[in-house]
Amino acid sequence: MAALLELRDVTKDFGGLRVVDQLGLHVDEGEIVSVIGPNGAGKTTVFNLITGIFHPDSGEIVFEGRRISGLAPHKITQRGVARTFQTLRLFLNMTVLENVMAAEYGNTKATVFEAMLQLPRARREEKRIRAIAEEKLAFFGQRLAGYRFDQPAYSLSYANRRRLEIARAMATNARLLLLDEPAAGMNPNETLEVTELIGRLRDDAGYTILVIEHDMHVVEGISDRVVALDHGVKIAEGSFGEVATHPLVIEAYLGVRAAKKAV
Amino acid sequence: MPDGQLGAGLPEGAPEVPDAVDRPRVGTDEWVAQHEERREVGRGLTGLVARGWERIPPPGRLALLLGPFAIFPFITNEGNLYRYGLITLIYAVLALGLNIVVGFAGLLDLGYIAFFGFGAYLYGIMASGHSGHHLQAEIAVPIVVVSTALLGLLLGLVSWRLLGDYLAIVTLFFLQAFVIFVNNANGGLNDFSYPFVGKVDLTGGANGLDRIDPLNFFGFKITTTKGYYFYTLIALAVLMTMLFFVNLSRTGRAWRALREDPLAAAAMSTPVNRLKLLAFMFGAAIAGFTGTIFGAVQSGAFPGDYDVGLLITIYAIVILGGLGSIGGVVIGALIVNGAPELLRSSANARFLFYGVLVLALLIGMKPWYRAVVALVGTTAFGFAIHAIVGAVWSRGTAGHIQGGGAFGRALDHWVLLPTHADRIAGWAYFALIVAALVLTLVRGWWRVVVMIPTLYLAAFVWENKLVEQVSGATRLILLGALLVVIMNVRPSGIFGTARVEVV
């Protein structure tokens, strides 16, 4: 199967610092790929490069066989790549439902004049995206449903905010979800739930998923394939077992001396 | 974990994960969930009013807001209709446009008034005795609206990279440049020589562009204040309705998303730059449209009208009404324009003064019975002082309240009104300021104790000193106090919803 997303020799410098170095990465249709690595390894930068917040200095990023590097962020999202943020970036003062509906801007076409005069297309679209938003929120069971539709996002608990971010990403009509530490800040129970949720996102909802995660239980539970980064370089790739025992990975996390002891 | 087994990852011996989802338990967010439910229910009187207001369907709300305006011309005279009615409406329409830029999209645009002026001047250039052209309004007004929108686009294009303070500086510069331009574009020595036409007197310079035609739609000339009043009222109603729909549409949502977090908005498929430009254009178009009304009403456009003072007034309206609230601008305009006009008469000012005091007391003092004690105490204190002073010093109660009515006569027996009170009142003013400062330092029941003489002192100073100057400095002091009280009661504006920046 052809890769859904492919990074070819992508390099990014911040001033004199090389954050991502000649990175090659591919995600196949229907896969769950985890990116791991110590803090500052360049994981989130990779996400920012894929979603167009940064542009690579060299190399290219291809999605569904078409080049997406160099496009504006909203164009990339409209092509089918949506993300969540490590530090939550919800629209806090908008309601839960509005948060999800706002993400459907790219799937609607009614102009502002049509909205002003409430012409049929505007009303039809509004009805349609409302239904889609409710459907996406229903994916999370009762947690984001019912009365909570009209609550402002800031009133949600931390875990529900993370869920809402995922719902929002789903609503963009994406095929590929980039989840940036979906289990960060969650308690063990919620972490388990996230693990299950990511599985369901693939199996029931049909998304391909690229995920950054620090919690190795989650990584082990979900990953078809794990990619380890350190200082912007891919140091290992393979199944969880292969990567977790890879000497370079152990060294990256624990340092050279500890790694020698471990091996 | 595709097989959905919840407990699979737990270590041996860990407590079993409960499967019921609707039972509060440690480790899940059910407790927090209930907390959320409670949090959004408004409490007290404000909550009650807010919920009642929410329950009225939108057309009903519009009718409630604008209905009184429709009746107003039939119960008032020409001068009042202009001062209270027409100017308020013009401010409200103007604030509606600013509300798009600042309230919806969150762009701090300090050049907004330039678009208003541009509309008035452009209309004047197309239809006035000054320029010699007399275009019909049905042609001139659309031209003005489109041109102002394009000017808005232009300002947006040069500043779309900027946000917050930086945008504010650039747009403020734009306003200043506009004012300087219209002050000088009179075809004089220092003026530009335009391509093809050479030097022309565009704006009349510092003397203004005079003899602007009244709005003339298909031969129907609007000549009376009442005519302009209803024209503006209808425009306001139409614009409010349209913006209500826009606010609920994908564009309105995208604007709010942009205001909340531009990066997240972009990542969620919103073309951020295009939406910013759209907000600028819409705001500018509305300002330009309002400019044509204002120019025609004044039958002239003068550089002094379109400066920072008006900008602050319009901002005050938008903030007071509640950023992003469509209905709020009407109430905001009513207060910001109406209150200073009302305060020109001492009888009105007196009611407002005592009204604000009582209201501030009832709202600011908690629990409520302390406020009641302070009120009753002040009343009793006043009568007691009046009786004592009346017995020992006859000159102390010899004066009379200016104006009158039942309230005035009651005050005569309550507040001390010495004849020749200038010096005493001066000292009392000083004492009042000290007492007000002391008031901020004491807590609990002591505050009530200090409050009583302070309130009485305030009434004394008011009746003996401030009320005489009511059309001058007092008016502005009182207006300031009123705005402070309102913003303290409703920190996010009268119709605003509380906004959370970082949680």
Side-chain angles (χ1 to χ4, degrees), chain A residues 221-244:
Chain A
I222 59 173
S223 311
D224 295 328
R225 196 148 53 81
V226 178
V227 174
L229 294 186
D230 189 29
H231 296 297
V233 183
K234 183 161 80 179
I235 52 174
E237 183 174 358
S239 70
F240 178 79
E242 287 163 18
V243 173

Side-chain angles (χ1 to χ4, degrees), chain B residues 72-90:
Chain B
F72 187 62
F74 303 107
I75 55 170
T76 186
N77 60 29
E78 183 86 12
N80 281 343
L81 184 62
Y82 179 81
R83 280 210 311 263
Y84 297 123
L86 185 54
I87 297 299
T88 302
L89 285 180
I90 287 176

Side-chain angles (χ1 to χ4, degrees), chain A residues 155-174:
Chain A
S155 74
L156 293 180
S157 68
Y158 185 80
N160 274 345
R161 288 183 195 190
R162 286 233 171 259
R163 292 184 188 108
L164 179 57
E165 265 220 336
I166 296 174
R168 194 175 65 169
M170 289 163 77
T172 59
N173 230 350

